[in-house]
mmCIF file of all heavy atoms in Angstrom:
data_model
loop_
_atom_site.group_PDB
_atom_site.id
_atom_site.type_symbol
_atom_site.label_atom_id
_atom_site.label_comp_id
_atom_site.label_asym_id
_atom_site.label_seq_id
_atom_site.Cartn_x
_atom_site.Cartn_y
_atom_site.Cartn_z
ATOM 1 N N MET A 204 0.853 -1.215 -0.016
ATOM 2 C CA MET A 204 0.011 -0.007 -0.029
ATOM 3 C C MET A 204 0.909 1.257 -0.011
ATOM 4 O O MET A 204 0.621 2.203 -0.721
ATOM 5 C CB MET A 204 -0.907 -0.007 1.235
ATOM 6 C CG MET A 204 -2.073 -0.938 1.159
ATOM 7 S SD MET A 204 -3.398 -0.253 0.173
ATOM 8 C CE MET A 204 -4.030 1.005 1.250
ATOM 9 N N GLU A 205 1.880 1.248 0.910
ATOM 10 C CA GLU A 205 2.747 2.375 0.960
ATOM 11 C C GLU A 205 3.521 2.700 -0.359
ATOM 12 O O GLU A 205 3.572 3.840 -0.787
ATOM 13 C CB GLU A 205 3.748 2.186 2.112
ATOM 14 C CG GLU A 205 4.650 3.393 2.393
ATOM 15 C CD GLU A 205 5.599 3.107 3.489
ATOM 16 O OE1 GLU A 205 5.456 2.140 4.275
ATOM 17 O OE2 GLU A 205 6.577 3.886 3.616
ATOM 18 N N TYR A 206 3.927 1.631 -0.952
ATOM 19 C CA TYR A 206 4.692 1.803 -2.238
ATOM 20 C C TYR A 206 3.792 2.304 -3.327
ATOM 21 O O TYR A 206 4.109 3.229 -4.106
ATOM 22 C CB TYR A 206 5.269 0.466 -2.694
ATOM 23 C CG TYR A 206 6.309 0.545 -3.775
ATOM 24 C CD1 TYR A 206 7.680 0.574 -3.388
ATOM 25 C CD2 TYR A 206 5.981 0.718 -5.122
ATOM 26 C CE1 TYR A 206 8.649 0.712 -4.375
ATOM 27 C CE2 TYR A 206 6.989 0.841 -6.067
ATOM 28 C CZ TYR A 206 8.308 0.883 -5.703
ATOM 29 O OH TYR A 206 9.239 1.008 -6.686
ATOM 30 N N ILE A 207 2.544 1.787 -3.411
ATOM 31 C CA ILE A 207 1.583 2.246 -4.411
ATOM 32 C C ILE A 207 1.260 3.685 -4.198
ATOM 33 O O ILE A 207 1.205 4.540 -5.169
ATOM 34 C CB ILE A 207 0.291 1.406 -4.349
ATOM 35 C CG1 ILE A 207 0.589 -0.039 -4.824
ATOM 36 C CG2 ILE A 207 -0.813 2.010 -5.199
ATOM 37 C CD1 ILE A 207 -0.512 -1.008 -4.616
ATOM 38 N N ARG A 208 0.993 4.060 -2.950
ATOM 39 C CA ARG A 208 0.631 5.486 -2.684
ATOM 40 C C ARG A 208 1.814 6.456 -3.012
ATOM 41 O O ARG A 208 1.607 7.526 -3.511
ATOM 42 C CB ARG A 208 0.293 5.631 -1.161
ATOM 43 C CG ARG A 208 -1.082 5.113 -0.835
ATOM 44 C CD ARG A 208 -1.305 5.120 0.646
ATOM 45 N NE ARG A 208 -2.678 4.684 0.952
ATOM 46 C CZ ARG A 208 -3.007 4.215 2.170
ATOM 47 N NH1 ARG A 208 -2.120 4.115 3.109
ATOM 48 N NH2 ARG A 208 -4.235 3.824 2.395
ATOM 49 N N LYS A 209 3.053 6.021 -2.679
ATOM 50 C CA LYS A 209 4.228 6.826 -3.007
ATOM 51 C C LYS A 209 4.337 7.058 -4.484
ATOM 52 O O LYS A 209 4.587 8.214 -4.921
ATOM 53 C CB LYS A 209 5.488 6.112 -2.518
ATOM 54 C CG LYS A 209 6.750 6.952 -2.638
ATOM 55 C CD LYS A 209 7.989 6.166 -2.263
ATOM 56 C CE LYS A 209 8.251 5.206 -3.405
ATOM 57 N NZ LYS A 209 9.596 4.625 -3.420
ATOM 58 N N GLU A 210 4.100 6.083 -5.321
ATOM 59 C CA GLU A 210 4.170 6.213 -6.784
ATOM 60 C C GLU A 210 2.975 7.100 -7.252
ATOM 61 O O GLU A 210 3.171 7.923 -8.136
ATOM 62 C CB GLU A 210 4.040 4.819 -7.438
ATOM 63 C CG GLU A 210 5.210 3.938 -7.220
ATOM 64 C CD GLU A 210 6.454 4.363 -8.012
ATOM 65 O OE1 GLU A 210 6.388 4.350 -9.217
ATOM 66 O OE2 GLU A 210 7.455 4.709 -7.363
ATOM 67 N N GLN A 211 1.835 6.986 -6.677
ATOM 68 C CA GLN A 211 0.676 7.774 -7.114
ATOM 69 C C GLN A 211 0.871 9.283 -6.721
ATOM 70 O O GLN A 211 0.427 10.113 -7.478
ATOM 71 C CB GLN A 211 -0.578 7.223 -6.525
ATOM 72 C CG GLN A 211 -1.006 5.910 -7.142
ATOM 73 C CD GLN A 211 -2.201 5.208 -6.424
ATOM 74 O OE1 GLN A 211 -2.399 5.458 -5.187
ATOM 75 N NE2 GLN A 211 -2.959 4.417 -7.088
ATOM 76 N N VAL A 212 1.484 9.474 -5.599
ATOM 77 C CA VAL A 212 1.786 10.896 -5.224
ATOM 78 C C VAL A 212 2.671 11.564 -6.241
ATOM 79 O O VAL A 212 2.537 12.769 -6.470
ATOM 80 C CB VAL A 212 2.372 10.962 -3.777
ATOM 81 C CG1 VAL A 212 3.001 12.346 -3.523
ATOM 82 C CG2 VAL A 212 1.362 10.598 -2.757
ATOM 83 N N GLU A 213 3.543 10.773 -6.896
ATOM 84 C CA GLU A 213 4.457 11.297 -7.867
ATOM 85 C C GLU A 213 3.761 11.432 -9.276
ATOM 86 O O GLU A 213 4.403 11.670 -10.252
ATOM 87 C CB GLU A 213 5.689 10.419 -8.011
ATOM 88 C CG GLU A 213 6.511 10.426 -6.720
ATOM 89 C CD GLU A 213 7.686 9.450 -6.804
ATOM 90 O OE1 GLU A 213 7.867 8.875 -7.874
ATOM 91 O OE2 GLU A 213 8.423 9.308 -5.754
ATOM 92 N N GLY A 214 2.403 11.149 -9.271
ATOM 93 C CA GLY A 214 1.678 11.262 -10.543
ATOM 94 C C GLY A 214 1.705 10.093 -11.413
ATOM 95 O O GLY A 214 1.378 10.160 -12.629
ATOM 96 N N LYS A 215 2.059 8.946 -10.890
ATOM 97 C CA LYS A 215 2.159 7.686 -11.679
ATOM 98 C C LYS A 215 0.906 6.804 -11.519
ATOM 99 O O LYS A 215 0.271 6.823 -10.503
ATOM 100 C CB LYS A 215 3.422 6.925 -11.328
ATOM 101 C CG LYS A 215 4.758 7.689 -11.600
ATOM 102 C CD LYS A 215 5.916 6.928 -11.118
ATOM 103 C CE LYS A 215 7.226 7.661 -11.387
ATOM 104 N NZ LYS A 215 8.372 6.948 -10.874
ATOM 105 N N LEU A 216 0.598 6.020 -12.581
ATOM 106 C CA LEU A 216 -0.438 5.070 -12.518
ATOM 107 C C LEU A 216 0.169 3.689 -12.171
ATOM 108 O O LEU A 216 1.138 3.338 -12.817
ATOM 109 C CB LEU A 216 -1.216 4.983 -13.870
ATOM 110 C CG LEU A 216 -1.981 6.284 -14.258
ATOM 111 C CD1 LEU A 216 -2.557 6.100 -15.672
ATOM 112 C CD2 LEU A 216 -3.077 6.581 -13.270
ATOM 113 N N VAL A 217 -0.498 3.021 -11.251
ATOM 114 C CA VAL A 217 0.134 1.793 -10.712
ATOM 115 C C VAL A 217 -0.816 0.594 -10.941
ATOM 116 O O VAL A 217 -2.083 0.720 -10.765
ATOM 117 C CB VAL A 217 0.391 1.913 -9.186
ATOM 118 C CG1 VAL A 217 1.077 0.617 -8.665
ATOM 119 C CG2 VAL A 217 1.261 3.097 -8.921
ATOM 120 N N ALA A 218 -0.252 -0.572 -11.346
ATOM 121 C CA ALA A 218 -1.031 -1.756 -11.522
ATOM 122 C C ALA A 218 -0.487 -2.847 -10.673
ATOM 123 O O ALA A 218 0.756 -2.868 -10.407
ATOM 124 C CB ALA A 218 -1.048 -2.210 -12.974
ATOM 125 N N MET A 219 -1.369 -3.753 -10.152
ATOM 126 C CA MET A 219 -0.843 -4.908 -9.343
ATOM 127 C C MET A 219 -1.844 -6.025 -9.473
ATOM 128 O O MET A 219 -2.985 -5.854 -9.877
ATOM 129 C CB MET A 219 -0.560 -4.510 -7.935
ATOM 130 C CG MET A 219 -1.813 -4.444 -7.002
ATOM 131 S SD MET A 219 -1.443 -4.615 -5.260
ATOM 132 C CE MET A 219 -1.116 -6.435 -5.177
ATOM 133 N N MET A 220 -1.363 -7.208 -9.147
ATOM 134 C CA MET A 220 -2.189 -8.386 -9.183
ATOM 135 C C MET A 220 -2.138 -9.079 -7.816
ATOM 136 O O MET A 220 -1.111 -9.059 -7.166
ATOM 137 C CB MET A 220 -1.681 -9.365 -10.264
ATOM 138 C CG MET A 220 -2.494 -10.674 -10.327
ATOM 139 S SD MET A 220 -1.997 -11.746 -11.752
ATOM 140 C CE MET A 220 -3.110 -11.043 -12.989
ATOM 141 N N GLY A 221 -3.295 -9.627 -7.364
ATOM 142 C CA GLY A 221 -3.306 -10.350 -6.128
ATOM 143 C C GLY A 221 -4.502 -11.325 -6.110
ATOM 144 O O GLY A 221 -5.342 -11.285 -6.920
ATOM 145 N N ASP A 222 -4.463 -12.177 -5.048
ATOM 146 C CA ASP A 222 -5.504 -13.179 -5.020
ATOM 147 C C ASP A 222 -6.031 -13.343 -3.539
ATOM 148 O O ASP A 222 -7.110 -14.019 -3.347
ATOM 149 C CB ASP A 222 -5.021 -14.546 -5.494
ATOM 150 C CG ASP A 222 -3.819 -15.074 -4.791
ATOM 151 O OD1 ASP A 222 -3.347 -14.400 -3.821
ATOM 152 O OD2 ASP A 222 -3.323 -16.137 -5.177
ATOM 153 N N GLY A 223 -5.368 -12.777 -2.504
ATOM 154 C CA GLY A 223 -5.763 -13.015 -1.191
ATOM 155 C C GLY A 223 -6.485 -11.889 -0.586
ATOM 156 O O GLY A 223 -6.471 -10.740 -1.118
ATOM 157 N N THR A 224 -7.146 -12.123 0.559
ATOM 158 C CA THR A 224 -7.867 -11.044 1.270
ATOM 159 C C THR A 224 -6.884 -9.973 1.702
ATOM 160 O O THR A 224 -7.175 -8.772 1.696
ATOM 161 C CB THR A 224 -8.580 -11.665 2.499
ATOM 162 O OG1 THR A 224 -9.500 -12.638 2.057
ATOM 163 C CG2 THR A 224 -9.315 -10.550 3.285
ATOM 164 N N ASN A 225 -5.611 -10.405 2.042
ATOM 165 C CA ASN A 225 -4.642 -9.362 2.391
ATOM 166 C C ASN A 225 -4.156 -8.576 1.247
ATOM 167 O O ASN A 225 -3.517 -7.510 1.475
ATOM 168 C CB ASN A 225 -3.438 -10.091 3.085
ATOM 169 C CG ASN A 225 -2.666 -11.014 2.090
ATOM 170 O OD1 ASN A 225 -3.250 -11.457 1.114
ATOM 171 N ND2 ASN A 225 -1.448 -11.239 2.340
ATOM 172 N N ASP A 226 -4.478 -8.973 0.014
ATOM 173 C CA ASP A 226 -4.151 -8.102 -1.124
ATOM 174 C C ASP A 226 -5.245 -7.104 -1.444
ATOM 175 O O ASP A 226 -4.977 -6.193 -2.269
ATOM 176 C CB ASP A 226 -3.924 -9.022 -2.383
ATOM 177 C CG ASP A 226 -2.674 -9.897 -2.298
ATOM 178 O OD1 ASP A 226 -1.676 -9.375 -1.753
ATOM 179 O OD2 ASP A 226 -2.709 -10.987 -2.747
ATOM 180 N N ALA A 227 -6.423 -7.255 -0.879
ATOM 181 C CA ALA A 227 -7.586 -6.420 -1.255
ATOM 182 C C ALA A 227 -7.289 -4.932 -1.059
ATOM 183 O O ALA A 227 -7.672 -4.198 -1.979
ATOM 184 C CB ALA A 227 -8.805 -6.877 -0.429
ATOM 185 N N PRO A 228 -6.716 -4.505 0.096
ATOM 186 C CA PRO A 228 -6.500 -3.017 0.194
ATOM 187 C C PRO A 228 -5.601 -2.457 -0.895
ATOM 188 O O PRO A 228 -5.859 -1.388 -1.478
ATOM 189 C CB PRO A 228 -5.838 -2.894 1.547
ATOM 190 C CG PRO A 228 -6.193 -4.150 2.304
ATOM 191 C CD PRO A 228 -6.309 -5.225 1.292
ATOM 192 N N ALA A 229 -4.497 -3.236 -1.258
ATOM 193 C CA ALA A 229 -3.600 -2.736 -2.293
ATOM 194 C C ALA A 229 -4.257 -2.779 -3.655
ATOM 195 O O ALA A 229 -4.086 -1.930 -4.549
ATOM 196 C CB ALA A 229 -2.269 -3.577 -2.279
ATOM 197 N N LEU A 230 -5.079 -3.816 -3.941
ATOM 198 C CA LEU A 230 -5.799 -3.922 -5.219
ATOM 199 C C LEU A 230 -6.738 -2.753 -5.398
ATOM 200 O O LEU A 230 -6.947 -2.216 -6.442
ATOM 201 C CB LEU A 230 -6.605 -5.212 -5.282
ATOM 202 C CG LEU A 230 -5.793 -6.479 -5.484
ATOM 203 C CD1 LEU A 230 -6.670 -7.747 -5.298
ATOM 204 C CD2 LEU A 230 -5.196 -6.513 -6.909
ATOM 205 N N ALA A 231 -7.403 -2.377 -4.252
ATOM 206 C CA ALA A 231 -8.356 -1.253 -4.329
ATOM 207 C C ALA A 231 -7.630 0.070 -4.539
ATOM 208 O O ALA A 231 -8.089 0.981 -5.162
ATOM 209 C CB ALA A 231 -9.190 -1.227 -3.040
ATOM 210 N N GLN A 232 -6.395 0.186 -3.902
ATOM 211 C CA GLN A 232 -5.647 1.430 -3.988
ATOM 212 C C GLN A 232 -4.989 1.592 -5.382
ATOM 213 O O GLN A 232 -4.899 2.751 -5.877
ATOM 214 C CB GLN A 232 -4.510 1.398 -2.938
ATOM 215 C CG GLN A 232 -3.602 2.647 -2.939
ATOM 216 C CD GLN A 232 -4.332 3.876 -2.484
ATOM 217 O OE1 GLN A 232 -5.209 3.846 -1.579
ATOM 218 N NE2 GLN A 232 -3.983 5.015 -3.080
ATOM 219 N N ALA A 233 -4.609 0.508 -6.028
ATOM 220 C CA ALA A 233 -3.924 0.545 -7.323
ATOM 221 C C ALA A 233 -4.905 1.095 -8.396
ATOM 222 O O ALA A 233 -6.102 0.929 -8.316
ATOM 223 C CB ALA A 233 -3.403 -0.767 -7.681
ATOM 224 N N ASP A 234 -4.348 1.729 -9.362
ATOM 225 C CA ASP A 234 -5.208 2.233 -10.481
ATOM 226 C C ASP A 234 -5.763 1.052 -11.297
ATOM 227 O O ASP A 234 -6.865 1.104 -11.824
ATOM 228 C CB ASP A 234 -4.365 3.206 -11.377
ATOM 229 C CG ASP A 234 -3.870 4.362 -10.620
ATOM 230 O OD1 ASP A 234 -4.676 5.235 -10.307
ATOM 231 O OD2 ASP A 234 -2.672 4.410 -10.247
ATOM 232 N N ILE A 235 -4.958 -0.008 -11.436
ATOM 233 C CA ILE A 235 -5.404 -1.242 -12.020
ATOM 234 C C ILE A 235 -5.141 -2.328 -11.083
ATOM 235 O O ILE A 235 -3.982 -2.667 -10.706
ATOM 236 C CB ILE A 235 -4.616 -1.491 -13.406
ATOM 237 C CG1 ILE A 235 -4.945 -0.477 -14.432
ATOM 238 C CG2 ILE A 235 -4.985 -2.894 -13.901
ATOM 239 C CD1 ILE A 235 -6.374 -0.471 -14.881
ATOM 240 N N GLY A 236 -6.184 -2.960 -10.549
ATOM 241 C CA GLY A 236 -6.089 -4.088 -9.661
ATOM 242 C C GLY A 236 -6.636 -5.335 -10.342
ATOM 243 O O GLY A 236 -7.828 -5.403 -10.657
ATOM 244 N N VAL A 237 -5.801 -6.289 -10.580
ATOM 245 C CA VAL A 237 -6.196 -7.511 -11.254
ATOM 246 C C VAL A 237 -6.250 -8.675 -10.212
ATOM 247 O O VAL A 237 -5.250 -9.007 -9.637
ATOM 248 C CB VAL A 237 -5.224 -7.922 -12.398
ATOM 249 C CG1 VAL A 237 -5.748 -9.147 -13.104
ATOM 250 C CG2 VAL A 237 -5.027 -6.747 -13.351
ATOM 251 N N ALA A 238 -7.488 -9.160 -10.042
ATOM 252 C CA ALA A 238 -7.662 -10.208 -9.023
ATOM 253 C C ALA A 238 -7.731 -11.590 -9.722
ATOM 254 O O ALA A 238 -8.244 -11.692 -10.852
ATOM 255 C CB ALA A 238 -8.976 -9.974 -8.288
ATOM 256 N N MET A 239 -7.167 -12.578 -9.094
ATOM 257 C CA MET A 239 -7.223 -13.970 -9.608
ATOM 258 C C MET A 239 -8.680 -14.456 -9.438
ATOM 259 O O MET A 239 -9.291 -14.267 -8.351
ATOM 260 C CB MET A 239 -6.313 -14.894 -8.922
ATOM 261 C CG MET A 239 -4.867 -14.426 -9.026
ATOM 262 S SD MET A 239 -4.103 -15.031 -10.486
ATOM 263 C CE MET A 239 -2.361 -15.073 -10.046
ATOM 264 N N ASN A 240 -9.190 -15.198 -10.381
ATOM 265 C CA ASN A 240 -10.515 -15.778 -10.312
ATOM 266 C C ASN A 240 -10.550 -16.848 -9.178
ATOM 267 O O ASN A 240 -11.605 -17.106 -8.555
ATOM 268 C CB ASN A 240 -10.936 -16.469 -11.622
ATOM 269 C CG ASN A 240 -12.380 -16.947 -11.618
ATOM 270 O OD1 ASN A 240 -13.272 -16.302 -11.019
ATOM 271 N ND2 ASN A 240 -12.615 -18.056 -12.174
ATOM 272 N N SER A 241 -9.405 -17.467 -8.869
ATOM 273 C CA SER A 241 -9.297 -18.465 -7.804
ATOM 274 C C SER A 241 -9.167 -17.839 -6.426
ATOM 275 O O SER A 241 -9.263 -18.548 -5.462
ATOM 276 C CB SER A 241 -8.112 -19.402 -8.059
ATOM 277 O OG SER A 241 -6.909 -18.599 -8.020
ATOM 278 N N GLY A 242 -8.993 -16.540 -6.402
ATOM 279 C CA GLY A 242 -8.745 -15.854 -5.109
ATOM 280 C C GLY A 242 -9.975 -15.658 -4.305
ATOM 281 O O GLY A 242 -11.126 -16.143 -4.658
#
């Protein structure tokens, strides 16, 4: 989350992929959040 926010503060668009509940906050924060169907 901290890394994504730091990049976004610098005006960058961030993408990430995750599958777990612990990934949900970062997926929501990222400009592109790709979730696994198995997640």
Side-chain angles (χ1 to χ4, degrees):
M204 285 280 289
E205 185 180 344
Y206 196 97
I207 291 170
R208 284 174 178 158
K209 185 187 76 164
E210 293 287 297
Q211 289 172 333
V212 166
E213 295 174 5
K215 297 176 181 177
L216 295 177
V217 184
M219 77 159 285
M220 178 173 270
D222 58 3
T224 300
N225 64 336
D226 290 324
L230 286 170
Q232 179 67 36
D234 300 285
I235 294 295
V237 184
M239 299 277 204
N240 187 39
S241 63

